[in-house]
Amino acid sequence: MTERTSPYPLGLRLAGRRVVVVGGGAVATRRVPALLDAGADVFLVAPELTPALRSHVDAGRLHWARRRFAADDLDGAWLVQVAVDDPVAAASVSAAAAERRVFCVRADDRAAATAWTPAVTRSGPVTVAVLGGGDPHRAMTVRDAIRELLGARPSPTRTTTVDEGAAAVAPGAGRVALVGAGPGDPELITVKGWRLLTEADVVVADRLVPGLLLDELRPDVELVDASKIPYGPSRAQEEINRILVDRALAGKVVVRLKGGDPYVFGRGGEELLACAEACVPVTVVPGVTSAIAVPAAAGVPVTHRAVAHEFTVVSGHVAPDSPDSLVRWEHLAGLRGTLVILMGLKNLPAIAATLVAHGRPAATPAVVVQEGTTGAQRALRSTLGEVAHDVAATGLRPPAIVVIGDVVSALTPDG
Ligand code: SAH
């Protein structure tokens, strides 16, 4: 339709409904999280995927057809999002969609689209969607003003002062912020982290970063996918460091967005050193770490009066008997407090056995929480002696946190 007529706004209720996404690049990476959040049955057609999209496939959140688009992909679809650069390929999707009366969003050509995606902001149950009459920048300016009215997040336009970590830097000079994105729920980023994100020219994001945060970025923001999938495709840390430094030296405001807190098993220190070596100013914005937030989301406080006066956060990614292990598991076994293990699923049988062998009672309560603070959260309660077996039996997957200690049953009625 032409731009002389005004668009008709709707809130699509996509739960369980098939939505086809054509393309597996940066645009699709940004569009898919909001579709998944709406509960859509996402069918992705693309010969190649970004690592972030691949991790959605691996986690079983969407279906992937590894090939080019075919018209009958749209059979049974309610909506199609075209996220390819090739205008001929995009036009063939449009034609198939029109034939089937399926609304078609086109990232490449808004005039050829039958539906437009608005600039969006979310605040709890409220979703605000703004269409700018053909001008995406107008839509985003209005959206930013509404976001400020909603009160949850200060507007970037009002807080243009350079923040303290980069106080000596002239405005307009490039800089890097290492920002913790929180454990999964997009509302668990800090106010400061959110502000810097809205000011960024370049965002370098991890796999564990909540996708909905990326949904609100301006389309001209360069989004670099730094996903490092365990035992899968990975981009070397040096390459990430190089991107941060190069973009900042080119005058860009770079946000390195990391799951949880940047300094908790996040390699934030290495990135800080790389920037410092290149004389690039860096700010570190702490995040809500999954080590504390994920147990909380499953009803487990990491400390509790008269139950635990300490908690220890440890990485389980190296096997206890490996010469590379920096953890003295036999000493941890002698602690009475809470043990929070990140990246520990693969080595859980060996870890649990080592703790029991060195004196932690097998009956100690344990809980494993997968994808904590997100809509996909799963929790499994067990004991130290049984937990490895129970995880295998229920098929829990990373990202997951294991909590061992009496706090696990501190807030349960029969605990
Ligand atoms: N810097 C991050 C941790 C990075 S290590 C933080 O502070 O939270 C990655 C590990 O964190 C995962 O393997 C998993 O053990 C844990 N993790 C992160 N987010 C999680 C979530 N939402 N649910 C469960 N575990 C999570």
Side-chain angles (χ1 to χ4, degrees):
M1 291 294 103
T2 67
E3 306 208 355
R4 277 180 286 115
T5 52
S6 45
Y8 183 76
L10 285 175
L12 298 185
R13 301 176 64 218
L14 295 177
R17 305 207 155 101
R18 182 178 171 110
V19 175
V20 177
V21 177
V22 183
V27 173
T29 304
R30 291 169 64 152
R31 291 285 163 83
V32 160
L35 292 171
L36 293 177
D37 194 61
D41 172 17
V42 176
F43 184 77
L44 188 60
V45 194
E48 303 290 339
L49 296 187
T50 63
L53 287 172
R54 176 70 82 119
S55 71
H56 289 306
V57 173
D58 291 346
R61 292 183 205 118
L62 49 79
H63 305 283
W64 176 33
R66 184 179 200 152
R67 54 170 170 75
R68 300 196 163 277
F69 172 77
D72 57 13
D73 288 334
L74 297 188
D75 292 346
W78 293 70
L79 179 69
V80 56
Q81 295 248 6
V82 187
V84 293
D85 294 331
D86 174 4
V88 178
S92 76
V93 183
S94 276
E99 212 170 279
R100 289 165 178 78
R101 300 292 188 265
V102 175
F103 278 106
C104 179
V105 179
R106 292 267 300 257
D108 61 314
D109 182 355
R110 41 186 298 109
T114 50
W116 293 335
T117 46
V120 170
T121 186
R122 297 178 175 84
S123 178
V126 175
T127 301
V128 179
V130 180
L131 293 165
D135 177 354
H137 286 281
R138 183 193 296 150
M140 272 176 292
T141 306
V142 174
R143 186 272 315 269
D144 289 346
I146 295 172
R147 182 159 61 200
E148 187 179 11
L149 284 177
L150 286 173
R153 298 151 172 178
S155 162
T157 52
R158 214 187 46 189
T159 50
T160 45
T161 48
V162 179
D163 61 281
E164 54 274 33
V169 183
R175 58 201 165 101
V176 170
L178 302 179
V179 175
D185 177 344
E187 290 196 306
L188 288 177
I189 190 170
T190 64
V191 170
K192 183 167 183 171
W194 174 255
R195 173 173 64 77
L196 289 171
L197 193 59
T198 61
E199 291 173 1
D201 301 311
V202 180
V203 174
V204 183
D206 267 353
R207 181 179 54 96
L208 283 178
V209 161
L212 276 186
L213 288 176
L214 307 178
D215 192 45
E216 292 192 32
L217 298 180
R218 298 187 315 270
D220 57 312
V221 172
E222 182 191 1
L223 181 61
V224 180
D225 184 344
S227 296
K228 290 177 289 174
I229 299 166
Y231 321 114
S234 76
R235 193 191 281 230
Q237 184 66 45
E238 300 82 73
E239 174 67 2
I240 295 171
N241 296 351
R242 190 188 61 75
I243 291 170
L244 298 179
V245 167
D246 283 2
R247 300 294 195 281
L249 292 178
K252 305 286 189 192
V253 174
V254 183
V255 166
R256 171 70 172 113
L257 192 62
K258 305 168 82 75
D261 180 272
Y263 281 174
V264 178
F265 308 130
R267 306 190 71 166
E270 292 165 62
E271 292 168 2
L272 181 112
L273 290 173
C275 292
E277 260 169 44
C279 297
V280 167
V282 199
T283 310
V284 179
V285 182
V288 174
T289 180
S290 65
I292 297 171
V294 166
V300 175
V302 291
T303 71
H304 193 63
R305 193 176 64 85
V307 176
H309 290 177
E310 92 235 13
F311 62 97
T312 306
V313 179
V314 53
S315 169
H317 78 289
V318 178
D321 61 354
S322 162
D324 296 333
S325 177
L326 299 178
V327 180
R328 294 182 152 185
W329 291 98
E330 65 281 12
H331 291 260
L332 294 186
L335 299 177
R336 297 188 47 190
T338 309
L339 202 52
V340 181
I341 305 171
L342 276 61
M343 297 182 280
L345 279 199
K346 191 177 74 124
N347 291 319
L348 191 55
I351 289 170
T354 305
L355 292 172
V356 172
H358 290 90
R360 191 93 199 220
T364 310
V367 67
V368 182
V369 190
Q370 173 186 321
E371 292 178 79
T373 78
T374 76
Q377 174 173 315
R378 288 175 73 192
L380 167 77
R381 283 168 179 270
S382 181
T383 61
L384 179 57
E386 299 289 325
V387 67
H389 169 266
D390 290 349
V391 164
T394 52
L396 283 188
R397 290 187 307 254
I401 279 182
V402 183
V403 187
I404 296 162
D406 291 333
V407 290
V408 168
S409 41
L411 300 187
T412 50
D414 56 353

